[in-house]
Amino acid sequence: MSSVLTPPPVRRPSAWRRAWDSDLLHSFRQSPVAQLAAVLALVCSIAALGAPWLAPHNPFDLATVDLMDARLPPAWLEGGSWRFPLGTDDQGRDVLSALMHGARISLFVGGAAVLLSLLAGVGLGLLSGFVGGWLDSLLMRVCDVMLSFPAILVALLIDGVGRALWPGAHGSLAFGVLILAIALTGWVKYARTVRGSTLVERRKEYVQAAQVIGVAPWRIMLRHVLPNVTGPVLVLATIDVAAAVIIEATLSFLGVGVPPTSPSLGTLIRVGNDYLLSGEWWITVFPGAMLMAIALSVNLLGDWLRDALNPRLQ
């Protein structure tokens, strides 16, 4: 009497295992530069996002600020104190706490501006490439006009117009004007990138098959074309975060950025620049180093992501 042998069940790898063995993470594990950039970006993000809990002092609480502590050097220099590891500024605020809170504001403004640019650029680029015709020509001419002006000048113009329309703008309104100023100079690259990829995708067989069976155009754009054009957009968005943070710091350095009551890294650099030649270098050097660390780490991650998502380099 023979028995039927049943094969053992095949164990499928878990989602974590599949993600760990993916081409993207394999490329990340093989790139020491990407790992170092990720660690640097993670440290800066934790310091910025956790500033209300991790910062040793609250630089915005006037009750804890003492002018007698103004312009103290870092703790390892003569005259410094470990109460203020990176020294103090001209108002007696702890530089370490100030740059942690300033990086939080810079990352918020830069991230919100990139998100707004991403939504507007992807939507307009997808519509332009899929619909074509006069709408495509109109949107591309608008993009050409936007590209003919330097981004920082457009941001200055929009910020100036916003402040003229709302002269008493404070708090969230001032932040909104700044985010809008940066976003209106950044949506063009997303629109042109998505439009070019959409022109290629709409001629492929799966789009034509969906049109034949009567799928609505908006459903084709959102469910079929959009997922296939997001690769270059993710790379652009990653790199654009660093550019948006730098633009925000530039506007704040020029005095047209965030309110003085909520200083960002650009505001801290501008304040410290007045004392750079008098010997109090730490007031501007440390915020500048924080800004450089954020921009460098994000740019390196963007370069790695661009190479990892490029099928020609696989």
Side-chain angles (χ1 to χ4, degrees), residues 47 50 68 92 113 118 122 138 148-149 175 205 207 225 284 288-289 294 303:
M68 297 299 294
L118 186 67
V122 170
L138 176 62
S148 64
F149 296 97
F175 280 105
E205 289 79 4
V207 174
V225 178
T284 188
I294 293 174
D303 291 340

Side-chain angles (χ1 to χ4, degrees), residues 159 162-178 257-262:
D159 186 82
R163 291 178 183 274
L165 294 177
W166 299 286
H170 297 286
S172 58
L173 184 57
F175 280 105
V177 171
L178 182 59
V258 296
T261 55
S262 302

Side-chain angles (χ1 to χ4, degrees), residues 135-176:
L135 182 61
D136 181 33
S137 300
L138 176 62
L139 290 176
M140 288 305 102
R141 298 298 76 76
V142 173
C143 291
D144 292 338
V145 171
M146 293 295 297
L147 289 174
S148 64
F149 296 97
I152 188 65
L153 293 182
V154 176
L156 281 171
L157 175 63
I158 297 171
D159 186 82
V161 171
R163 291 178 183 274
L165 294 177
W166 299 286
H170 297 286
S172 58
L173 184 57
F175 280 105

Side-chain angles (χ1 to χ4, degrees), residues 253-273:
F253 184 84
L254 296 175
V256 293
V258 296
T261 55
S262 302
S264 66
L265 292 178
T267 307
L268 297 175
I269 295 173
R270 177 175 60 84
V271 171
N273 188 57

Side-chain angles (χ1 to χ4, degrees), residues 36-67:
L36 180 61
V39 171
L40 184 59
L42 183 62
V43 170
C44 293
S45 300
I46 292 176
L49 298 179
W53 305 277
L54 300 178
H57 303 275
N58 184 0
F60 308 129
D61 186 3
L62 298 180
T64 62
V65 176
D66 188 356
L67 289 178

Side-chain angles (χ1 to χ4, degrees), residues 39-110:
V39 171
L40 184 59
L42 183 62
V43 170
C44 293
S45 300
I46 292 176
L49 298 179
W53 305 277
L54 300 178
H57 303 275
N58 184 0
F60 308 129
D61 186 3
L62 298 180
T64 62
V65 176
D66 188 356
L67 289 178
M68 297 299 294
D69 296 327
R71 292 183 284 179
L72 290 178
W76 60 87
L77 297 180
E78 183 180 358
S81 171
W82 285 107
R83 288 179 55 215
F84 311 107
L86 299 183
T88 59
D89 61 6
D90 60 317
Q91 300 180 26
R93 298 179 300 186
D94 180 36
V95 171
L96 175 60
S97 303
L99 69 89
M100 291 174 67
H101 284 270
R104 186 167 181 255
I105 295 173
S106 295
L107 286 176
F108 167 74
V109 172

Side-chain angles (χ1 to χ4, degrees), residues 1-16:
M1 185 176 180
S2 61
S3 59
V4 179
L5 297 178
T6 58
V10 179
R11 297 184 59 184
R12 300 183 60 185
S14 62
W16 287 105

